[in-house]
Amino acid sequence: MRIDAVDFFYASMPDVTLEADGSQDALLVRVSAGGYVGWGECEASPLVSVAAFITPRSHGVCQPVEASVLGEELDGPDDIRRIASLVERNSMDLLQAAHTFSGIEIALWDLLGRAREQPVWQLLGYERAYSKTPYASILFGDTPADTYAHGVAAVARGFNAFKFGWGPFGTGTVAADADHLQAAREAIGSDRHLLVDAGQIFGADVDAAAERLGALEAASVMWLEEPFRASEFDAYAALAARATTVRLAGGEGAHEEAMARNLLKYGHVGFLQIDTGRIGGIAPAKRVADLAAQAGITFVNHTFTSHLALSASLQPFAGLADHRICEYPAEPKQLAVDITSNHLLPDADGEIHVPDAPGLGVEVDLDALAPYLRSIDISVDGETLYSSPQSGRVLLG
Amino acid sequence: MRIDAVDFFYASMPDVTLEADGSQDALLVRVSAGGYVGWGECEASPLVSVAAFITPRSHGVCQPVEASVLGEELDGPDDIRRIASLVERNSMDLLQAAHTFSGIEIALWDLLGRAREQPVWQLLGYERAYSKTPYASILFGDTPADTYAHGVAAVARGFNAFKFGWGPFGTGTVAADADHLQAAREAIGSDRHLLVDAGQIFGADVDAAAERLGALEAASVMWLEEPFRASEFDAYAALAARATTVRLAGGEGAHEEAMARNLLKYGHVGFLQIDTGRIGGIAPAKRVADLAAQAGITFVNHTFTSHLALSASLQPFAGLADHRICEYPAEPKQLAVDITSNHLLPDADGEIHVPDAPGLGVEVDLDALAPYLRSIDISVDGETLYSSPQSGRVLLG
């Protein structure tokens, strides 16, 4: 099969607010090859990621992503890895390329699975897919009472694990954070998992983060996520050494496999959270999952958007029985719900199942998406380089 | 002073080829505040970096760069650091933001220096600026005879240090590479510095790189640059441990200060090469230079474009007397020459001097630039978000 076309679909809510809620917009990618179609999703900043696909080249290793994709042969998983290597080389100096290619790579796996009538997790070498325990991501409230209320509402929805994050955490006093943590624990009861996401609030300030360890451990928090900026490995390691029961989590910012490896090796995290929509897609995420298993730490997906992104992010660790917990977009914007016509819903035990269906096993609903679609037009010297969504990038000749 | 406007100027050669020559296009940034103007330059992919400035926001920590810059107060170096922190936070999930902001940050320093009638290196706390020994960057030839000819031609131009890179190096046999290295050494004679740039050709393959150590050391190569991808710290450290006299160099890909720190700490490089047009500008590059000095390794600039970029890249280590060697664009395209009306030319001893003049001390020549300018138009839902170069982004109200 030859990759004939790559089309982007930029969708957003009518109003995109300053909330830390990544489900307010989406960039979907549709790849066509050999009469088949596959879908993927890029995480973050649709316009910039489209620009990275079609930008005029700057030099030999700063080419647009399309130069390494359109017209390439796609006959098996090795071709996906080969195309990824082309992008890595030809777009070496184009920072955004990793985010752009992530969505394309996911679509290539989906397409290949549909052509072979196999789920992606089988193409990755897994013999079966294990269920996962979803955790609900919740923002801390403005007050401990709000945090408590958020927690109680989430428990009522049947989840068994909860992650509170962002909001005021880390911005005020240690005592205020302790109150929020205690409220969260009280809301969910003593038997359910409690996770905390600090949203990089401490920068690289180990002492500021360490001051919260007592309250975190008193509330039996399983992981503290992203206390620091993504590449502050020294800070991660120093904090990990000062913790007793709580373990550190991170990795969502990894835009290449090596970043995730380095966070594990040098930052001593106990949970590696990988977004397939950023790290370059499913294949590098699978290699990170293999590494996590080998190192005895836990692989977790990072997903805050659609169930297309959710299925893509579950494939890399679908066959790892011991890596059970998974991020599940608990309160996404309606856009993220409407992107697909089917959804990965919790079963009676509250467990999530990776689809046992060709490709990613979720269907993009273009009709439902129509009201959300936004058009992009980019031209250089008056020549149109990109116009969406009606005309994508089609291989000519 | 309040930042009133940020304008981008995208310029390119009429034909941009697949050479590994980064001087084929440029993205200049002009910042206006308090009646003063400052100039900076972003490294790589102009269209994508412009898109990152004006993209619709995706959520609270995926905002366009402009959201953290336009309208901000600029009264001293602390404001530049404050604005950088805003960008880091508000554009956390926008990968390209670091490249976009780098050019803006450089322009802020230039503007501040012009307003205070001080060179940027003085604003950085240096009491004097030391001269630097420029090395000429040359591509390996197709054959050892070509490499020899390139070397002889460069010697005739008066340089005392030479870096050969890319081309066939690492793509064929060890013996072929040895022939090229010997030809390069013969061309420049035994007393001049010889450096080699592998252009990440070995990926993360330590053995493949190590096989070349004998030939590199036989040719008295001072540094082997970027044998591996930028974040492959383990590979760097493993190769460094196997080398006897040659030291490793890297860092040009660092798009944040922590990446450079990690390459030093975990990759054991002997030379840290920083591009101010990528790492976030002059302030983070200065902190890396301080760290290099403290660690006893050598800071070097990475510059392949204009003398605006060259002056910006020299400021961070201008006051470090022992860090003498500097990258100098030896054979840039005419565009890179025409960007500025004055240039940092070697003196009678072949040394380069950082300008002792306000700001960066180089003048952008908009008239000379006119034939190279390319217009960009970006619209979303039919609304123009960017149109250049006539209309930049001006603070309204």
Side-chain angles (χ1 to χ4, degrees):
Chain A
M1 300 188 287
R2 195 178 67 154
I3 299 175
D4 297 316
V6 175
D7 297 288
F8 291 94
F9 296 83
Y10 169 24
S12 87
M13 296 296 290
D15 292 311
V16 174
T17 72
L18 290 176
E19 289 178 282
D21 176 351
S23 72
Q24 301 184 81
D25 68 3
L27 182 62
L28 302 173
V29 190
R30 183 179 66 193
V31 174
S32 309
Y36 295 94
V37 158
W39 285 90
E41 189 173 338
C42 304
E43 179 47 16
S45 212
L47 174 65
V48 183
S49 288
V50 168
F53 191 70
I54 53 89
T55 183
R57 69 177 172 222
S58 289
H59 53 81
V61 296
C62 193
Q63 298 184 56
V65 175
E66 68 171 351
S68 307
V69 176
L70 283 180
E72 288 298 319
E73 282 296 317
L74 174 66
D75 295 316
D78 285 348
D79 282 318
I80 299 179
R81 295 183 192 103
R82 180 182 56 77
I83 293 167
S85 295
L86 286 177
V87 173
E88 194 173 67
R89 183 79 188 162
N90 297 332
S91 300
M92 183 191 295
D93 285 351
L94 178 45
L95 195 48
Q96 190 73 17
H99 282 191
T100 303
F101 184 65
S102 292
I104 297 170
E105 204 258 16
I106 291 167
L108 294 175
W109 284 105
D110 187 39
L111 192 154
L112 199 62
R114 288 171 188 271
R116 295 189 175 182
E117 299 189 332
Q118 280 189 299
V120 170
W121 51 264
Q122 270 185 19
L123 296 179
L124 293 174
Y126 289 128
E127 291 184 3
R128 57 166 292 195
Y130 295 88
S131 66
K132 304 292 177 190
T133 302
Y135 69 80
S137 280
I138 307 164
L139 299 178
F140 278 113
D142 288 338
T143 64
D146 290 342
T147 292
Y148 181 83
H150 290 186
V152 168
V155 168
R157 298 177 55 211
F159 287 96
N160 293 310
F162 306 84
K163 186 173 83 184
F164 290 75
W166 299 79
F169 189 81
T171 63
T173 64
V174 175
D177 286 351
D179 290 344
H180 277 279
L181 293 169
Q182 199 180 335
R185 171 53 77 193
E186 282 174 11
I188 69 168
S190 60
D191 292 341
R192 299 189 180 91
H193 294 307
L194 176 59
L195 323 168
V196 169
D197 182 356
Q200 305 189 10
I201 194 69
F202 304 114
D205 186 343
V206 177
D207 288 338
E211 284 174 356
R212 274 83 180 173
L213 285 175
L216 289 161
E217 299 192 338
S220 298
V221 170
M222 187 163 83
W223 82 50
L224 173 63
E225 173 176 336
E226 286 218 311
F228 309 117
R229 287 187 297 268
S231 295
E232 299 287 353
F233 306 140
D234 285 5
Y236 272 91
L239 185 63
R242 290 165 74 168
T244 306
T245 57
V246 68
R247 303 198 72 179
L248 303 188
E252 68 178 80
H255 55 81
E256 55 174 345
E257 189 188 334
M259 273 184 75
R261 271 193 269 120
N262 292 333
L263 183 61
L264 169 58
K265 176 160 187 178
Y266 304 116
H268 303 170
V269 294
F271 297 88
L272 259 181
Q273 305 167 292
I274 300 301
D275 197 317
T276 52
R278 287 182 186 153
I279 200 171
I282 290 174
K286 167 66 162 59
R287 292 192 295 270
V288 173
D290 291 344
L291 179 74
Q294 204 179 349
I297 68 137
T298 305
F299 182 97
V300 195
N301 63 305
H302 174 264
T303 310
F304 222 85
T305 55
S306 75
H307 283 214
L308 176 68
L310 179 61
S311 176
S313 74
L314 294 177
Q315 306 291 334
F317 71 122
L320 299 180
D322 299 337
H323 302 239
R324 291 193 62 79
I325 203 160
C326 84
E327 181 162 46
Y328 186 85
E331 293 178 314
K333 294 285 184 281
Q334 192 61 38
L335 160 63
V337 177
D338 290 346
I339 284 173
T340 59
S341 56
N342 59 330
H343 298 89
L344 280 56
L345 301 176
D347 67 15
D349 298 323
E351 295 285 282
I352 298 291
H353 299 268
V354 188
D356 187 6
L360 298 174
V362 290
E363 304 303 323
V364 171
D365 188 343
L366 268 183
D367 291 337
L369 206 54
Y372 302 99
L373 287 182
R374 303 186 69 173
S375 68
I376 294 175
D377 290 277
I378 301 174
S379 63
V380 170
D381 292 342
E383 184 195 344
T384 298
L385 296 185
Y386 189 81
S387 184
S388 75
Q390 294 77 9
S391 82
R393 298 293 285 186
V394 177
L395 183 69
L396 302 173
Chain B
M1 301 188 287
R2 195 177 67 154
I3 299 175
D4 296 316
V6 176
D7 298 288
F8 290 94
F9 297 81
Y10 169 22
S12 87
M13 296 295 290
D15 293 312
V16 174
T17 72
L18 290 175
E19 289 178 281
D21 175 353
S23 71
Q24 300 184 81
D25 68 4
L27 182 62
L28 302 173
V29 188
R30 183 180 66 194
V31 173
S32 309
Y36 296 94
V37 158
W39 285 89
E41 188 172 338
C42 303
E43 179 48 15
S45 211
L47 174 64
V48 184
S49 288
V50 168
F53 191 71
I54 54 89
T55 184
R57 69 178 171 221
S58 289
H59 53 80
V61 295
C62 194
Q63 297 185 55
V65 175
E66 67 172 351
S68 306
V69 175
L70 283 179
E72 289 298 321
E73 281 296 316
L74 175 66
D75 295 316
D78 284 349
D79 282 319
I80 299 180
R81 294 182 192 102
R82 180 182 57 77
I83 294 167
S85 296
L86 286 177
V87 173
E88 194 173 67
R89 183 79 188 162
N90 297 333
S91 300
M92 185 192 292
D93 285 351
L94 178 45
L95 195 49
Q96 190 73 19
H99 282 192
T100 303
F101 184 65
S102 292
I104 297 169
E105 204 258 15
I106 292 166
L108 294 175
W109 283 106
D110 186 38
L111 191 153
L112 199 61
R114 288 170 187 272
R116 294 189 175 182
E117 298 189 333
Q118 279 189 300
V120 170
W121 51 263
Q122 271 185 19
L123 295 179
L124 293 173
Y126 290 129
E127 291 184 3
R128 57 167 292 195
Y130 295 88
S131 65
K132 304 292 177 189
T133 302
Y135 68 80
S137 280
I138 308 164
L139 298 178
F140 277 113
D142 289 337
T143 65
D146 289 342
T147 292
Y148 181 83
H150 291 186
V152 168
V155 168
R157 298 178 54 211
F159 287 97
N160 292 311
F162 306 84
K163 185 173 83 183
F164 290 75
W166 298 78
F169 189 82
T171 65
T173 64
V174 175
D177 286 352
D179 290 344
H180 277 279
L181 292 169
Q182 200 181 336
R185 173 50 79 193
E186 281 174 12
I188 68 168
S190 58
D191 292 341
R192 299 190 181 90
H193 294 308
L194 176 58
L195 322 168
V196 169
D197 182 357
Q200 305 190 9
I201 194 69
F202 303 115
D205 186 342
V206 177
D207 288 338
E211 285 174 356
R212 272 84 179 173
L213 286 175
L216 288 161
E217 299 192 337
S220 299
V221 170
M222 186 163 83
W223 82 49
L224 173 64
E225 173 175 335
E226 286 218 312
F228 309 116
R229 288 186 297 267
S231 295
E232 298 288 351
F233 306 140
D234 286 5
Y236 271 91
L239 184 64
R242 289 165 75 168
T244 307
T245 56
V246 67
R247 303 198 73 178
L248 302 188
E252 69 179 80
H255 55 82
E256 53 176 346
E257 188 187 336
M259 274 185 73
R261 270 194 268 121
N262 292 334
L263 182 61
L264 169 58
K265 176 159 186 178
Y266 304 117
H268 304 169
V269 294
F271 297 87
L272 260 180
Q273 305 167 291
I274 301 302
D275 198 317
T276 51
R278 287 183 186 153
I279 199 170
I282 290 174
K286 167 67 162 60
R287 291 193 294 270
V288 173
D290 291 344
L291 179 74
Q294 204 179 349
I297 68 137
T298 305
F299 182 96
V300 194
N301 63 306
H302 174 264
T303 310
F304 222 85
T305 54
S306 74
H307 282 214
L308 177 69
L310 180 62
S311 176
S313 73
L314 294 178
Q315 306 290 335
F317 72 123
L320 300 180
D322 298 338
H323 301 239
R324 292 193 60 79
I325 202 160
C326 84
E327 182 162 45
Y328 187 84
E331 293 178 315
K333 294 284 184 282
Q334 192 61 35
L335 160 63
V337 177
D338 290 346
I339 284 173
T340 59
S341 56
N342 59 330
H343 297 88
L344 280 57
L345 301 177
D347 66 14
D349 297 323
E351 295 284 285
I352 298 290
H353 299 268
V354 187
D356 188 4
L360 297 174
V362 291
E363 303 304 323
V364 171
D365 188 343
L366 268 183
D367 291 337
L369 207 53
Y372 302 100
L373 287 182
R374 304 185 70 173
S375 68
I376 294 176
D377 290 277
I378 301 176
S379 63
V380 170
D381 293 342
E383 185 196 343
T384 298
L385 296 186
Y386 190 81
S387 183
S388 76
Q390 294 78 9
S391 82
R393 300 291 286 186
V394 178
L395 183 68
L396 300 174

